[in-house]
Every structure is written in C-alpha cells, then in structure tokens.
Amino acid sequence: MMLCQNSLLLVLGLLNYVYADDPLVEVSTGMLVGKSVEFSHGDANVNRTLHVFMGIPYAEPPVGDLRFRPPQPKAQWSGIYNATDIGFACIQQNSPAFSLQEPQSEDCLYLNVYSPSLTNSTNLPVMVWIHGGSFTRSSATYDGLYDGTALAAIGDVIVVSLNYRLFALGFFSTGDENAPGNYGLLDQLVALEWVQDNIAAFGGDADRVTVFGESAGAACVDYLLLSPLSDGLFHRAILQSGTALLASGARDNSAMLSSFAHGVGQLLGCEEDNSEDLVQCLRSVPAEHFREKLDQSFLATIPGIQPETVAIPFEPVVDGHFITAKPDDLLSQGGFNKTNVDILIGTNANEGTLFLSYLLPNLANASEPTVSKAEYEQVYLLLLFGSFKHNPAALDAIRLMYIPWADVAANDTNYADAYIEMQGDYMFVCPADKSARAYSNSGANVYMYHMTHAPANSLYGIQWAEAGHAEELPFVFGTHFNALPYWPLAPEEVNISLSIMTYWTNMAKTGNPNLSGDEAEMSEDDWPKFAVPGLAYKELSLEMKNNRALKSRECALWNDFIPKLVKRTEDENFTPTEEDMDRSVVCSSGAVDAMGLSLRITIVAVLMTFLVCDIVTPCNE
C-alpha cells in the first residue's frame, strides 16, 4: 500500500519541471501532475496509454469549524500538485471483523481521474463512481477493487471516483438547522460540480456525465436523481443493487434524530442541553474518537434506542434542502423531474446470501446452505425494517409467499432459499422494481438488468453464494484485466465481463446500453427498454438473454399489498391477539429480547457491513 502523498510541490517554474514524462493538467484551482500507465491485455484486444490522476482535492478539508457543514470550495494552490497517489479514505466505523487497508483521515475529500486522452477536443463520456458501504465504510479505490484503469481503457471513457464523508462525520444530524445532516451527499454534489468545471481538461465531455454506484452508492445515485440541487450535473445514472428506498429511505423524525444525536454526544463527552452547544462541542472531538467510541455496540448504550429497529445508524435524512421528502413519497407523487436522465437499474439473483451467512455463520464453510425450520423462525425477519414488522397479518402474507409449501410438513425441509429470496426481494429487487416503474412512468428512458450468473470465484469465499450482493463489481470494473491477485475470472467469464463493460460504457456514451455511437452497433432490440406494461429486463449471464416481469408477483406483495394491508389494519384499529403475537416470532419485542443483546447488536452490524468493502479482504487474505 502506497502512502498518501497529496502534497504541494512548490515548483518555481515549468522550466525546472522535473516530471517531463508525466501528464500535466491545469484545473480551476491550479496545476496537477499525474502518471501515465500502459494498459495492455490480449483478452480485451486493447493496448493504450492511460493518464491517471489520484488524490485530487475537490473541496477544503471538512475539519474544525467545517465539520458538520456543507463542503467548501477548494482554495487555489501555487506550484504543481502531486496527483500520483490516492488520498486518505474518510473516517469510518471500526469493525473487529472487517477493515479498510487504506489510511484514514477527516481530510478526505479527494477524487481520482482515469483518462484515455488529455486532448480537449476528445470529448469522452465521463463515468463518476460513488462507492457503497452502508454510508459507513469503504473508499473511492477500496484496496484496488474500484480501480478504473480497465474500464477507462477498454470502454474508451473517463472514469472518476470520489471519497465522501461517511458514518457520523458524514451523516450525523440533530434534526434541526444546527446539524441538518447529509454532508456526504453534499460532498458528492460538489464533486459533480468539480467535474462540470474541470473534466474538459482531461479530455472529457461535461454534457455526457454518468453517475453510477452500488448498494449504498446506488442509493446515493438515487438521492441525486431525486434532489432538486443536482439539476444539470449529470445526464445518465446506473444503480447497482440499491435505491433511495434502502433501509428507512431517509429519516424524517426530528424528535428521534435529536434524541439519537444527544445520545451520541454523551458517548463522546458532549452532554449538552441544546443542539447548538452539542454540535459546537462535537466539533472539538478528535475525529478518531468517532471511529473508536462509536463501535458496533454503541447503539445498545443509547437510551430509548432499540438496536434491532435501526438499520443503519447514520444515513441520509429529509433535510428539506437536498432531500425534500421521503423518497417513497417523491416517487409516488411524481417528485422526479429529471426526465432527460437515462437510467440503468438492476439487482443480482441471490442478494440475500450475504445476510444469511452472517446470521447463521456456521453456513459460511458449508458446501450448500441448509436452514432448518427452527433456524428460519429465528432469523427470517431480523433484517426487515418497516411498519409491517409488528403486524401479524402482514407477516402471515410474507410467510405465505416464501415458505416452501410443497415440503412444509417434512422435518428436514430446507428453508435457505425461502430466506435468501425473501431478503433479496425486500431489500433490493422490489425497491428497484418500484423505482424503475416510477421513473419509466415519468418519461425517463429506463433499462433493467438482473445478474443470474454465479461467479466462479465468489467475493465472499462462500461456495454457495451464487450471484450474491455486489458480485457484479469485478465484472463491471474488469478486475481480471487489471491483473489483481484476487477475484480472477474463469475463462468462460471473460466475455461476460467484456459484455457488461460494453453495456455500461455504451450507456455512458449514448444513454442506451445497446449503442456505442460508432458505426458498428448492436441492435436496439438487444436490450429492450423497461416500461409498464412489458417490464423487460436483461439477464447478465453467459447467454445474456432478455426476459420480462422480474419477480412481479413478489414485488406486488412488497410494493402494493403489504402497505395497503398495514394501512387497512391501522385504520380499523386492528389489535393483534396474544396468539397473533406468538405467531410473529422474532418480531415481538419479547422474542427479540430473548435472543440476547449480543445477537441484537449483530443484527445491526450485519446491515452495516453488508457491502463488499467489508468482506472481500478477509476472504482473500
């Protein structure tokens, strides 16, 4: 791991410039020096020079009085800035099981640019990557997984990746004007403004910018789609296994936010009576204390907070500025007005495998998952968050959909698939379906995918992971072509990666995954648009076949029936009987309490560590 070297090289004049063979670029804040990388790979039939600029500051360090404030424009520098190494990763939560190998700092607002050409007239399309990590972890490069070299070189696009504030320093909110929250999202906004102002100097086209992200990163992309502040900053969006409907879909309970904020303050030595004094005190707390003292068990120490009810401790909030209302309301009420933005959205076939392997760790080394009825009853609703969780009628409806009824009477019935399907549909597949329908109905061009190919080398090191959460990432970034020591592709998978990279970069070039803008193009029928009716989608697999109506019955349950059922039972003042509550198993507070504090903490930890940034390193050590 190289050390961060984001330092100013005070060079008196270009005559004395000692980087004659390295690329120079002038941006709005000063001169940059990067490095040239030779990219060659026979499988991709590509041999070219790539220009790479790492650790470019796009805003002032958000430290001291700038903590818990919107990012401020980067001041001009003199001399030449050394952009040949990654910037610091943002401060993130400590975890005994998972760790980021990159150095961390509160001074972390840096981005990276991978460009095939520095000619101003090139006008290459631009793809801006927003990493995931439950708004809590990871970085723009994540130990090489998000290396944009292959994608830029093979796809003939410019790739930009960025850090944004995470965890408490990125999403702490008091529920009022003293700390409104969403600083990490505002960082992304300023980074996109930087792209608009400067990407032409790297050979890029500011009128063809695509934002793409995975999991919480895809949720960030969705928030950018829904925010009125991002108009004109991008033109296409790719959402991989995530939407703004993830978890609570932006908190909007100011009383809860205030209570939570004061509880955090007590843990960090700031026991102030009002939010203004609390925030001022927290600005003086060393950044490392947020990482060290707000560990995975801190939720259990905050009065009035039940760990099993909090999906992600620090996440986007409805601030009336960046996020004007709950995403669900914005979608249902037509709050999306970027009809000129083309959208590609999708999920993987086995999104729920990761959660099951954490909740039942004995399965991690198994050749295949086997879940008994008793184990299923223990875990099947642990990671579901919503008003239906204590509604017996809704729980019965969910059971009706997923329980393997053909073998339900047998003592050895395997409930693994029931859990995997349910969890994946609830958290990823059906929110994507809801968002795709809303965006398509608003007039946007929408394309949907569903990855069904099970990688030969799973990110998780689990034999049965199949097409699990984040398994598409090595295919999108072409890690095989970057020659990383892990995530190798089997020979038959190389063409899958090349096809996915082509679809993604075609989307960035033309707004259509079929068309590259060159004379030799695919048929527009190769990947049909998603629309209602029709509901067409592309399967990412060896065959790359088209299909339609992905999980339409299951998504009708989650997106339509369950909300109506909950509303009806609430309107009728429905009161569950004791038998009903017994039937809801883990959803009753007594059952959850019976599991013990450690399991409740684990439930929250699972949610906060479900992204690839938390699992690949241990699996490949």
Side-chain angles (χ1 to χ4, degrees):
M1 174 63 64
M2 295 181 291
L3 296 177
C4 298
Q5 298 174 352
N6 294 303
S7 57
L8 288 178
L9 301 178
L10 300 178
V11 180
L12 296 177
L14 292 180
L15 291 177
N16 297 321
Y17 179 56
V18 295
Y19 300 100
D21 295 329
D22 292 323
L24 271 176
V25 163
E26 185 173 7
V27 295
S28 57
T29 46
M31 192 73 72
L32 299 167
V33 61
K35 56 187 176 183
S36 295
V37 177
E38 297 303 318
F39 180 87
S40 179
H41 206 291
D43 287 342
N45 195 26
V46 172
N47 187 350
R48 69 191 309 175
T49 300
L50 206 69
H51 309 291
V52 180
F53 298 81
M54 307 293 288
I56 304 171
Y58 66 85
E60 284 296 304
V63 301
D65 192 54
L66 295 184
R67 182 184 289 175
F68 305 136
R69 296 191 192 277
Q72 298 302 301
K74 180 64 183 174
Q76 291 274 337
W77 60 74
S78 60
I80 300 174
Y81 194 92
N82 179 8
T84 61
D85 200 1
I86 61 174
F88 288 108
C90 292
I91 294 287
Q92 43 204 276
Q93 188 183 43
N94 263 344
S95 169
F98 312 108
S99 63
L100 184 73
Q101 302 303 308
E102 300 166 10
Q104 299 176 26
S105 172
E106 191 173 11
D107 175 6
C108 63
L109 300 186
Y110 299 98
L111 56 77
N112 314 300
V113 179
Y114 306 79
S115 176
S117 173
L118 296 181
T119 305
N120 286 2
S121 60
T122 307
N123 289 328
L124 291 172
V126 183
M127 300 184 71
V128 180
W129 172 250
I130 300 177
H131 71 79
S134 304
F135 310 107
T136 300
R137 295 189 178 91
S138 197
S139 72
T141 51
Y142 185 59
D143 297 336
L145 178 62
Y146 304 141
D147 185 340
T149 303
L151 187 61
I154 296 172
D156 199 30
V157 299
I158 291 176
V159 175
V160 178
S161 59
L162 62 101
N163 288 338
Y164 58 96
R165 281 173 282 180
L166 301 167
F167 194 48
L169 294 174
F171 294 94
F172 174 86
S173 175
T174 55
D176 58 24
E177 70 280 0
N178 291 301
N182 296 337
Y183 322 109
L185 294 176
L186 293 170
D187 294 341
Q188 296 164 22
L189 200 69
V190 169
L192 288 171
E193 291 171 348
W194 186 96
V195 169
Q196 287 295 309
D197 294 339
N198 296 291
I199 206 63
F202 298 87
D205 186 351
D207 292 326
R208 283 194 296 170
V209 175
T210 298
V211 287
F212 69 129
E214 189 267 346
S215 199
C220 292
V221 172
D222 208 7
Y223 282 118
L224 287 165
L225 280 169
L226 295 170
S227 176
L229 303 183
S230 65
D231 287 348
L233 295 181
F234 62 95
H235 315 89
R236 281 123 202 183
I238 300 176
L239 293 79
Q240 301 169 208
S241 297
T243 70
L245 303 175
L246 181 69
S248 65
R251 292 194 183 118
D252 63 347
N253 186 327
S254 58
M256 182 268 187
L257 287 169
S258 176
S259 175
F260 187 80
H262 282 275
V264 169
Q266 290 179 8
L267 290 175
L268 294 172
C270 291
E271 300 187 32
E272 309 296 336
D273 292 333
N274 61 75
S275 60
E276 182 178 4
D277 292 340
L278 169 64
V279 172
Q280 198 58 35
C281 177
L282 287 173
R283 288 196 174 108
S284 66
V285 173
E288 293 75 16
H289 287 192
F290 288 87
R291 180 177 64 225
E292 296 163 359
K293 296 188 177 182
L294 302 182
D295 61 15
Q296 289 186 314
S297 64
F298 86 93
L299 286 174
T301 67
I302 296 180
I305 297 295
Q306 294 179 315
E308 68 276 3
T309 67
V310 179
I312 299 171
F314 300 101
E315 63 178 345
V317 299
V318 177
D319 60 358
H321 178 60
F322 190 99
I323 304 174
T324 57
K326 294 281 283 186
D328 203 0
D329 294 335
L330 291 172
L331 287 174
S332 62
Q333 297 168 8
F336 172 73
N337 56 11
K338 297 183 179 68
T339 55
N340 60 332
V341 175
D342 305 303
I343 298 171
L344 192 156
I345 184 171
T347 52
N348 298 343
N350 305 93
E351 300 275 8
T353 55
L354 172 60
F355 306 99
L356 188 61
S357 67
Y358 274 108
L359 291 175
L360 299 175
N362 60 298
L363 297 179
N365 297 319
S367 58
E368 63 180 68
T370 302
V371 178
S372 68
K373 181 178 181 180
E375 289 173 320
Y376 177 76
E377 294 287 2
Q378 183 187 30
V379 303
Y380 94 106
L381 286 178
L382 288 180
L383 292 177
L384 301 189
F385 299 86
S387 58
F388 61 84
K389 189 164 183 177
H390 294 278
N391 188 305
L395 300 185
D396 281 348
I398 295 168
R399 284 165 170 264
L400 184 67
M401 179 66 73
Y402 291 99
I403 281 182
W405 290 104
D407 302 307
V408 73
N411 293 328
D412 59 350
T413 299
N414 189 354
Y415 284 75
D417 286 344
Y419 179 87
I420 291 170
E421 291 292 315
M422 183 200 68
Q423 192 65 57
D425 292 349
Y426 164 69
M427 289 201 71
F428 301 106
V429 176
C430 295
D433 174 82
K434 186 171 187 175
S435 296
R437 289 171 184 258
Y439 290 142
S440 177
N441 288 338
S442 74
N445 294 322
V446 178
Y447 296 87
M448 176 176 277
Y449 74 86
H450 193 58
M451 180 174 174
T452 58
H453 175 73
N457 295 284
S458 170
L459 287 171
Y460 307 120
I462 298 174
Q463 297 182 45
W464 48 269
E466 299 188 357
H469 188 63
E471 295 278 21
E472 84 285 358
L473 287 172
F475 293 85
V476 170
F477 280 94
T479 56
H480 168 80
F481 309 104
N482 283 333
L484 291 173
Y486 28 75
W487 312 301
L489 298 182
E492 67 272 14
E493 294 179 316
V494 172
N495 284 334
I496 297 179
S497 181
L498 288 172
S499 295
I500 290 175
M501 294 169 78
T502 298
Y503 283 134
W504 262 235
T505 54
N506 280 355
M507 187 72 186
K509 293 171 183 176
T510 67
N512 184 328
N514 304 294
L515 307 178
S516 67
D518 298 328
E519 292 183 7
E521 297 177 336
M522 305 178 199
S523 165
E524 289 197 50
D525 295 328
D526 182 70
W527 188 336
K529 286 183 185 177
F530 177 93
V532 182
L535 309 178
Y537 68 94
K538 168 73 69 178
E539 284 192 20
L540 301 185
S541 62
L542 286 169
E543 297 78 18
M544 292 289 176
K545 63 183 179 181
N546 295 327
N547 213 324
R548 60 178 299 273
L550 174 65
K551 296 292 189 77
S552 57
R553 180 172 60 177
E554 292 86 345
C555 292
L557 171 78
W558 290 109
N559 296 337
D560 186 48
F561 182 76
I562 293 294
K564 288 181 178 178
L565 181 62
V566 171
K567 186 177 187 304
R568 180 175 178 181
T569 53
E570 288 176 349
D571 289 346
E572 295 178 354
N573 295 318
F574 176 78
T575 301
T577 65
E578 184 174 345
E579 182 181 357
D580 288 329
M581 294 305 291
D582 288 341
R583 206 166 60 238
S584 68
V585 196
V586 300
C587 296
S588 69
S589 58
V592 173
D593 287 339
M595 294 177 191
L597 180 60
S598 61
L599 180 54
R600 289 156 55 195
I601 294 171
T602 299
I603 295 167
V604 178
V606 169
L607 244 298
M608 295 171 59
T609 58
F610 65 70
L611 237 196
V612 64
C613 69
D614 292 322
I615 57 180
V616 289
T617 301
C619 291
N620 292 285
E621 288 180 344

